[in-house]
Amino acid sequence: MSHLILTTFRTMLKKWFLSNNAVVCFITTKSTTPKFNNPLLHQFPISPRRFCTITATSESNTHPFSVSYLINNFGFSHESALKAFNNKQVRFNTPDNADSVITFFQNHGFPNSNIRIIIQKAPWLLSSQPHKRLLPKFQFFLSNGASLSDIVPLLTTNPRILRSSLEKQIIPLFQLLSRCLKTNRDAIICLIKHWTTFTIYYHLIVANINLMADFGIPHSVIARLIRSRPFLICSKDLINSLEEIKGLGFDPSTTTFGYALLANNCTSKKLWDEKVDVLKKWGWSDEDVIRAFRCHPDMMLTSIEKINLVMSFWVNQLGWDSLALTKRPHILTHSLEKWIVPRGLVVQFLLMKGLRKKNASLVTPFRYSEKLFLEKFVFSFKEESDYLLKIYEEKIKLAYTMENNGMPFPN
């Protein structure tokens, strides 16, 4: 009787599975899952037993070895791991070579967290031969002054350089940069940091560096532009920008020329005109704008919102003439909360108490370091120094508090 019941149950169960077009399977690592003997395994452990359902039309519920390796060891999603496999970035059937890549990075000072980021960005590295493809590049970087502490964060951010040819790409670009930058170390750091830009626009960069040198721009200025704004060196109409800045009265042989070139290229014509219109609304003329720009080109990198905030505080709250800022336009580039407001309130108090001459320069107090400012405009007035210091420190403290809390500064 019991045998008949069991047979009947099996028949019903079989019909149910067939009607649902599905099977149930238990997969154990012993029979189907390869063993991963690598240092990161403890961070991304493989489950010893999995439960899955697959349709009868599916060919297999198992992944290629390299796909499972990415999923289990580096947190890849199923889709991203398959994409790396289908794009032929990773295709290997044993963990040996991939483990040797991980070991290579660990031996060169890369924490496991950095290695995970690198592999997520460049999974193809797991298929490379570390001593043939990676070691020569590391030796080149280190032999030219870069340290592991330099290389680790740079390559974590941009591992793409490790895919390039040392002889055909890396060394020629290094030689180009080393002619402009002060040290080989600077060249290596710049090379890795901006590798993608340099490789895409290599020929244009070579031409523009030669153009700037012929235009009379010092190597120190060219170097600063390469390090801080490599996109400028990739400009297809750089000659027009050079001529425009020279036409505004800037001398190409000065460092100010480089700042003006940068400010001009970082600001579209539309945005430039909008900033000029804002300054004119606060009483400046076109000539005032040009004169201020010649004095401190970085002023035109100030946002429209900040220009309005500074002008509102200067004119409406302090009651001062906006034209005073044309003499020291660098004030617009300072922090409103930590620099302009605390100093402005101190100077305003001194003027109200008659402790500072009314015809004295309004902008001079804003050019000193904090130490000199406190000595000249706070501590030199012994009777009022405690109150002046309180005004100053309260605004500084408020600025940092509002910044830490992500709140706007109340003027």
Side-chain angles (χ1 to χ4, degrees):
M1 183 66 179
S2 60
H3 175 73
L4 179 60
I5 294 173
L6 182 59
T7 301
T8 303
F9 175 75
R10 285 176 175 172
T11 302
M12 293 174 61
L13 187 62
K14 183 177 180 180
K15 289 182 179 180
W16 183 86
F17 276 120
L18 289 175
S19 65
N20 285 277
N21 196 31
V23 297
V24 175
C25 62
F26 289 90
I27 302 172
T28 63
T29 57
K30 182 177 181 180
S31 60
T32 61
T33 307
K35 292 183 179 180
F36 292 79
N37 182 24
N38 78 67
L40 293 182
L41 185 58
H42 66 280
Q43 292 188 358
F44 315 106
I46 302 173
S47 174
R49 181 179 291 268
R50 297 179 185 174
F51 175 87
C52 66
T53 61
I54 60 173
T55 63
T57 57
S58 175
E59 295 181 359
S60 172
N61 69 318
T62 59
H63 303 309
F65 181 91
S66 52
V67 171
S68 296
Y69 192 96
L70 292 178
I71 293 172
N72 295 321
N73 291 283
F74 293 97
F76 274 66
S77 67
H78 177 264
E79 292 75 17
S80 59
L82 279 177
K83 182 179 179 181
F85 177 80
N86 292 331
N87 292 340
K88 298 182 179 180
Q89 294 187 59
V90 287
R91 288 201 174 182
F92 46 85
N93 296 318
T94 68
D96 297 341
N97 191 81
D99 287 350
S100 69
V101 172
I102 294 171
T103 301
F104 176 87
F105 279 111
Q106 288 178 326
N107 290 342
H108 284 81
F110 286 76
N112 286 345
S113 57
N114 291 60
I115 297 173
R116 175 173 179 168
I117 294 172
I118 289 174
I119 299 303
Q120 287 176 337
K121 291 181 177 180
W124 52 264
L125 281 167
L126 294 175
S127 298
S128 65
Q129 296 180 327
H131 289 282
K132 288 185 178 180
R133 191 167 198 174
L134 305 181
L135 183 59
K137 297 180 179 73
F138 273 73
Q139 290 174 334
F140 178 77
F141 298 151
L142 295 172
S143 65
N144 282 286
S147 65
L148 288 176
S149 61
D150 296 322
I151 295 174
V152 169
L154 288 170
L155 289 181
T156 300
T157 302
N158 190 16
R160 192 170 183 176
I161 191 174
L162 296 174
R163 198 170 196 171
S164 304
S165 167
L166 178 62
E167 292 76 16
K168 296 179 181 179
Q169 292 180 292
I170 296 176
I171 292 178
L173 271 168
F174 167 78
Q175 291 172 340
L176 172 67
L177 294 175
S178 62
R179 291 200 298 268
C180 300
L181 304 179
K182 288 184 178 181
T183 66
N184 286 345
R185 175 180 175 271
D186 291 337
I188 292 294
I189 291 174
C190 187
L191 183 71
I192 300 175
K193 186 176 181 181
H194 303 297
W195 178 250
T196 302
T197 300
F198 290 151
T199 52
I200 294 175
Y201 299 102
Y202 174 74
H203 295 292
L204 190 56
I205 290 172
V206 173
N208 281 340
I209 288 177
N210 292 331
L211 172 63
M212 287 190 289
D214 294 340
F215 206 79
I217 299 177
H219 280 301
S220 60
V221 175
I222 297 175
R224 186 183 302 112
L225 294 174
I226 291 174
R227 282 195 301 266
S228 61
R229 293 292 188 275
F231 71 86
L232 193 151
I233 312 297
C234 305
S235 173
K236 293 182 179 180
D237 61 345
L238 182 60
I239 183 61
N240 293 330
S241 297
L242 295 174
E243 294 289 358
E244 183 178 354
I245 298 303
K246 186 176 180 179
L248 290 174
F250 290 91
D251 181 355
S253 65
T254 64
T255 56
T256 308
F257 187 94
Y259 289 119
L261 181 66
L262 180 61
N264 184 62
N265 277 266
C266 287
T267 310
S268 66
K269 186 180 185 306
K270 179 176 179 295
L271 183 56
W272 182 282
D273 292 341
E274 289 174 354
K275 290 181 180 181
V276 171
D277 288 341
V278 169
L279 291 168
K280 290 169 72 172
K281 287 179 181 178
W282 287 103
W284 289 25
S285 64
D286 288 318
E287 292 74 19
D288 291 327
V289 175
I290 296 299
R291 184 165 56 252
F293 179 65
R294 287 175 184 164
C295 178
H296 196 81
D298 280 2
M299 60 158 281
M300 290 304 287
L301 295 176
T302 306
S303 69
I304 290 176
E305 180 184 15
K306 186 179 178 184
I307 291 174
N308 279 321
L309 287 172
V310 172
M311 287 294 190
S312 178
F313 175 74
W314 190 273
V315 176
N316 298 332
Q317 189 163 340
L318 297 180
W320 297 347
D321 188 351
S322 69
L323 293 180
L325 291 172
T326 62
K327 300 176 182 177
R328 294 275 180 183
H330 72 282
I331 293 175
L332 292 171
T333 66
H334 283 302
S335 168
L336 174 65
E337 301 85 359
K338 300 173 188 176
W339 194 280
I340 300 174
V341 171
R343 295 179 184 223
L345 294 177
V346 167
V347 175
Q348 183 188 48
F349 178 83
L350 293 176
L351 288 169
M352 289 173 57
K353 293 295 183 179
L355 300 174
R356 183 168 174 78
K357 295 180 180 179
K358 291 185 178 180
N359 61 351
S361 172
L362 293 172
V363 294
T364 298
F366 296 87
R367 68 182 179 89
Y368 293 111
S369 67
E370 182 177 51
K371 181 180 178 181
L372 284 177
F373 175 81
L374 291 175
E375 288 179 0
K376 289 179 173 292
F377 300 97
V378 175
F379 300 134
S380 61
F381 301 95
K382 294 183 179 180
E383 293 183 5
E384 293 81 9
S385 61
D386 289 342
Y387 181 73
L388 291 171
L389 185 62
K390 181 181 179 182
I391 294 176
Y392 183 84
E393 289 184 337
E394 280 183 350
K395 287 299 180 182
I396 294 290
K397 183 178 180 180
L398 177 61
Y400 281 104
T401 300
M402 303 302 288
E403 180 181 75
N404 293 335
N405 293 331
M407 300 172 65
F409 185 83
N411 293 325

